[in-house]
């Protein structure tokens, strides 16, 4: 959180900054952190920043979007959420060049904040029928996109203890009483949902509030 906030402050104040890549376990707050950190910095620094979300399916239009944004004398954070790419697609090549290597990538008023469940933004490839040199080249190509992000933040699975702590925080937010019964219900809910995460903890709490599934 501190690293993302510091990077955003540097960006707004015309200092050196990095494009940011947040990767890791689903439901652990990657997108939420980006949005809340940007809002926090806007209030703290009392500066305007445009927050533009581009959907994964629209990456093909990224060069045109960058071209149209470039004349604007405003700070712009381009947010691309939940990316999964293949190194063979046009979107992979476009994003890689836009981040570093194109004339458009030199614009210091535009920063990219990107999230993915995958460490390298791409699905693992099959090395069947490939020799060692081909595997090395393939691996290098796949990692070349993620390496263009100067700040990479990893999000990992939470433990049962951490999950229950998150549930407890959500109960406090909604002014609910937390008890041993809630602990058992929260654990049962996590089993039905397939694991522990902040998102699952929030969904459980909302269910308690609304009593939709009770």
């Amino acid at each position: 959180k501190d690293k993302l906030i510091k990077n955003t402050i540097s960006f707004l104040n015309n200092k050196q900054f990095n494009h940011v890549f947040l990767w890791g376990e689903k439901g652990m707050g990657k997108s939420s952190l980006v949005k809340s950190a940007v809002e926090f910095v806007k209030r703290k620094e009392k500066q305007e920043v445009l927050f533009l979300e581009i959907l994964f399916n629209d990456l093909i239009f990224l060069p045109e979007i960058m071209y149209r944004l470039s004349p604007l004398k405003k700070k712009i954070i381009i947010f691309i959420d939940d990316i999964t790419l293949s190194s063979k697609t046009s979107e992979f090549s476009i994003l890689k060049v836009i981040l570093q290597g194109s004339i458009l990538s030199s614009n210091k008023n535009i920063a990219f904040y990107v999230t993915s469940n995958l460490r390298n933004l791409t699905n693992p490839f099959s090395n069947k029928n490939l020799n060692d040199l081909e595997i090395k080249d393939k691996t290098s190509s796949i990692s070349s996109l993620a390496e263009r992000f100067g700040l990479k933040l990893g999000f990992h699975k939470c433990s049962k203890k951490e999950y229950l702590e998150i549930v407890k925080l959500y109960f406090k937010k909604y002014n609910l009483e937390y008890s041993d019964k809630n602990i058992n219900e929260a654990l049962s809910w996590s089993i039905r949902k397939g694991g522990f995460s902040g998102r699952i903890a929030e969904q459980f709490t909302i269910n308690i509030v609304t009593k939709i599934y009770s």
Side-chain angles (χ1 to χ4, degrees), residues 69-91:
L69 292 177
S70 292
L72 299 180
K73 303 302 181 183
K74 295 182 179 181
K75 292 293 183 178
I76 304 167
I77 291 177
I78 294 180
F79 177 53
I80 311 172
D81 193 25
D82 199 18
I83 288 185
T84 301
L85 295 170
S86 167
S87 59
K88 297 179 180 179
T89 62
S90 299
E91 288 85 354

Side-chain angles (χ1 to χ4, degrees), residues 34-144:
V34 169
K35 294 170 184 176
S36 59
V38 170
E39 286 301 315
F40 173 80
V41 171
K42 283 169 61 178
R43 292 196 303 269
K44 183 177 186 294
E45 299 298 303
K46 295 181 174 59
Q47 294 191 46
E48 182 185 9
V49 57
L50 300 181
F51 190 74
L52 174 63
E53 182 171 4
I54 297 177
L55 300 180
F56 163 70
N57 293 333
D58 292 329
L59 283 179
I60 194 73
F61 303 111
L62 191 53
E64 181 180 353
I65 293 170
M66 290 287 290
Y67 179 77
R68 290 177 178 273
L69 292 177
S70 292
L72 299 180
K73 303 302 181 183
K74 295 182 179 181
K75 292 293 183 178
I76 304 167
I77 291 177
I78 294 180
F79 177 53
I80 311 172
D81 193 25
D82 199 18
I83 288 185
T84 301
L85 295 170
S86 167
S87 59
K88 297 179 180 179
T89 62
S90 299
E91 288 85 354
F92 180 92
S93 300
I94 288 171
L95 183 56
K96 186 169 73 169
V97 172
I98 288 294
L99 285 171
Q100 191 176 72
S102 165
I103 294 175
L104 294 172
S105 61
S106 62
N107 192 322
K108 299 303 180 184
N109 286 327
I110 298 177
F112 282 86
Y113 285 18
V114 175
T115 76
S116 176
N117 293 334
L118 304 175
R119 184 189 292 265
N120 288 318
L121 295 105
T122 58
N123 286 311
F125 67 92
S126 172
N127 57 13
K128 187 178 181 181
N129 299 323
L130 297 178
N131 59 42
D132 290 345
L133 183 59
E134 289 171 327
I135 293 173
K136 183 178 179 181
D137 288 343
K138 189 80 171 177
T139 303
S140 177
S141 175
I142 287 175
S143 62
S144 63

Side-chain angles (χ1 to χ4, degrees), residues 162-179 181-190 192-193 195 197-214:
E162 289 167 334
Y163 166 71
L164 291 174
E165 284 296 316
I166 297 171
V167 171
K168 192 173 182 179
L169 285 171
Y170 274 118
F171 267 56
K172 183 177 180 181
K173 175 182 177 180
Y174 289 103
N175 296 315
L176 298 173
E177 185 178 346
Y178 190 70
S179 66
K181 178 185 176 183
N182 301 136
I183 293 174
N184 293 330
E185 290 175 340
L187 292 176
S188 296
W189 180 271
S190 70
R192 294 200 299 274
K193 289 291 184 176
S197 75
R199 181 183 296 151
I200 290 173
E202 181 183 26
Q203 290 171 345
F204 167 71
T205 310
I206 290 173
N207 172 60
I208 295 295
V209 172
T210 61
K211 297 180 171 56
I212 293 175
Y213 301 109
S214 299

Side-chain angles (χ1 to χ4, degrees), residues 6-51:
K6 287 177 181 177
N7 188 73
T8 307
I9 290 174
S10 292
F11 171 63
L12 286 186
N13 290 301
N14 297 312
K15 297 180 180 179
Q16 294 297 317
F17 69 92
N18 283 304
H19 299 303
V20 185
F21 174 40
L22 303 91
W23 64 273
E25 192 66 23
K26 60 184 182 293
M28 288 304 296
K30 299 183 292 294
S31 305
S32 298
L33 177 57
V34 169
K35 294 170 184 176
S36 59
V38 170
E39 286 301 315
F40 173 80
V41 171
K42 283 169 61 178
R43 292 196 303 269
K44 183 177 186 294
E45 299 298 303
K46 295 181 174 59
Q47 294 191 46
E48 182 185 9
V49 57
L50 300 181
F51 190 74

